[in-house]
Amino acid sequence: MLNFILRRVIQIPVVMLVLSLMIVGLTQLLTPEQRAAPYIRSEQQAARLQQIIEQRGLNDPFPVQYSRWLTATLKGDLGYSKASSQDVIVTIKERLPRTIELTLVTAIPILLLSIWLGTLSALHKDKFIDQVLRVLVVLGYSLPSFVVGILLLAIFYGYLGVLPGAGQVSVLNQFALADLQRYTGLLTVDAALNGRWDIAWDVLQHLILPALTLVIVLSASIIKVMRNNMLEALTSDYVRTARAKGLSSRVVNNKHARRNALLSIVTLAGFLIIGLLSGSLITETIFAYPGIGQWVVQAAQGVDLAAVLGFAMLSAIIVVVVSTVVDILYGVIDPRVRFD
């Protein structure tokens, strides 16, 4: 098992190197003038465009440019983001914890709810509850996240007025954030550790609508896969053998059928977390949630090359790390994987 983990961990820097070559290589499709845009912060600098191109070596051969970029990146210098008016690394450090916070309050309900509803649907195949759940799954597939988000905003914020509509915290509490001692970067946790339960509750209220939007949209695929896996497991030989031994339906369903049905859910959970940590672009934009997703949308609209490149590398790191964790979990769950 240790060798299996070591092999996966050793692969991380190699994969990251290849991905960085591809990502930086794609920027070469842009002209030197377009690639110089992130370094221009004033009209005076715009007048010295050619000088900036020469200073930054944007006309140099690609290997020279890549080695220069890699050296700067390893030192933590990812450039300046026009969209956030600060360095890219500073923006990531500021916004990533907010996206992690949204991911935590979204991924856990999605997985628990999807596994339960998928199992429930399979155990009541073709009955009323199964038919209802299948219709809901189709609706979840069909409705885009921006439609669900706008509907939730219209109902709970516009009509009922019971939940906040945008941002991470109310205006009244924004002034108190400067006095909070930061421990984790997660505002709900830090506010609670500071004894400011009013701020923690305010942040949680702002998370409800974006999290609910993502739960409705993203649960559908996992429910469907869980239902299909469970149906397949219920008709397998080892389940028939367990029933022939006189085991109760509860033991057979939970210990034998559902446990094996969960194997592919581990992969889906990995993809889910990758997508959420990389920023739920549409959802964060609709609810003006100041996470990674909202920032990269603004950066893309303003052709903020440094920000887009930094986001691409962040996403690549998330994909590689989460995929490695999923591989290790597979080795824990299924011993056969350890020797592949």
Side-chain angles (χ1 to χ4, degrees):
M1 184 60 180
L2 181 60
N3 291 333
F4 174 83
I5 295 175
L6 287 175
R7 286 200 306 270
R8 293 297 185 270
V9 172
I10 291 172
Q11 290 174 1
I12 292 178
V14 177
V15 173
M16 286 305 305
L17 184 64
V18 174
L19 287 174
S20 66
L21 277 167
M22 295 173 60
I23 293 170
V24 177
L26 287 173
T27 64
Q28 299 301 303
L29 298 175
L30 301 174
T31 64
E33 289 78 12
Q34 290 173 318
R35 284 184 278 124
Y39 305 108
I40 298 174
R41 307 182 188 183
S42 64
E43 293 183 4
Q44 291 77 10
Q45 289 179 319
R48 297 187 295 106
L49 179 60
Q50 292 302 321
Q51 183 180 350
I52 291 175
I53 291 175
E54 294 299 326
Q55 288 176 344
R56 297 288 179 172
L58 299 180
N59 284 322
D60 293 344
F62 173 68
V64 176
Q65 292 189 49
Y66 176 76
S67 62
R68 187 186 301 117
W69 175 86
L70 184 60
T71 302
T73 299
L74 292 175
K75 294 179 180 178
D77 181 12
L78 294 175
Y80 179 82
S81 171
K82 286 183 174 181
S84 61
S85 301
Q86 57 187 4
D87 290 341
V88 171
I89 191 67
V90 174
T91 304
I92 291 175
K93 289 179 179 179
E94 181 181 286
R95 288 178 175 260
L96 183 58
R98 299 168 185 167
T99 296
I100 292 175
E101 204 162 20
L102 179 60
T103 298
L104 289 175
V105 300
T106 301
I108 295 174
I110 286 176
L111 292 175
L112 293 178
L113 188 66
S114 300
I115 291 171
W116 175 59
L117 291 179
T119 302
L120 185 66
S121 181
L123 293 177
H124 298 83
K125 183 176 180 293
D126 294 331
K127 294 181 180 178
F128 177 74
I129 185 65
D130 181 37
Q131 299 293 344
V132 171
L133 288 173
R134 288 165 70 180
V135 170
L136 293 176
V137 166
V138 172
L139 287 175
Y141 268 121
S142 305
L143 291 175
S145 57
F146 71 89
V147 173
V148 176
I150 291 173
L151 284 174
L152 292 177
L153 272 174
I155 295 171
F156 293 101
Y157 174 66
Y159 181 70
L160 297 177
V162 294
L163 289 172
Q168 187 189 21
V169 66
S170 63
V171 177
L172 294 176
N173 283 326
Q174 284 180 353
F175 299 102
L177 297 183
D179 298 328
L180 289 181
Q181 183 71 31
R182 296 304 179 96
Y183 300 100
T184 65
L186 307 179
L187 193 51
T188 49
V189 177
D190 291 341
L193 292 175
N194 280 269
R196 293 300 304 269
W197 296 99
D198 56 326
I199 296 179
W201 174 240
D202 187 26
V203 175
L204 284 175
Q205 284 183 307
H206 281 79
L207 286 169
I208 291 175
L209 288 183
L212 185 57
T213 300
L214 292 170
V215 168
I216 292 173
V217 174
L218 299 179
S219 294
S221 59
I222 302 180
I223 292 173
K224 182 178 181 180
V225 172
M226 185 64 194
R227 177 184 182 273
N228 293 339
N229 288 353
M230 194 68 181
L231 287 174
E232 183 179 353
L234 289 171
T235 57
S236 61
D237 292 336
Y238 58 84
V239 169
R240 293 195 191 97
T241 302
R243 284 175 176 158
K245 290 180 178 179
L247 297 178
S248 65
S249 297
R250 183 176 180 180
V251 173
V252 172
N253 294 335
N254 293 335
K255 185 176 180 180
H256 295 275
R258 185 162 62 181
R259 183 175 180 179
N260 286 277
L262 287 173
L263 286 174
S264 60
I265 301 300
V266 174
T267 302
L268 289 179
F271 286 126
L272 171 68
I273 293 171
I274 287 170
L276 292 173
L277 286 178
S278 298
S280 304
L281 310 187
I282 296 175
T283 303
E284 289 189 7
T285 301
I286 289 173
F287 293 97
Y289 187 79
I292 289 290
Q294 185 198 44
W295 168 59
V296 78
V297 168
Q298 295 171 348
Q301 291 174 338
V303 197
D304 189 346
L305 185 60
V308 173
L309 189 59
F311 171 75
M313 287 307 302
L314 173 65
S315 297
I317 292 172
I318 291 172
V319 169
V320 171
V321 172
V322 174
S323 298
T324 302
V325 172
V326 169
D327 287 341
I328 293 172
L329 287 176
Y330 255 114
V332 173
I333 296 172
D334 188 352
R336 294 171 298 178
V337 178
R338 302 178 192 178
F339 306 103
D340 291 344

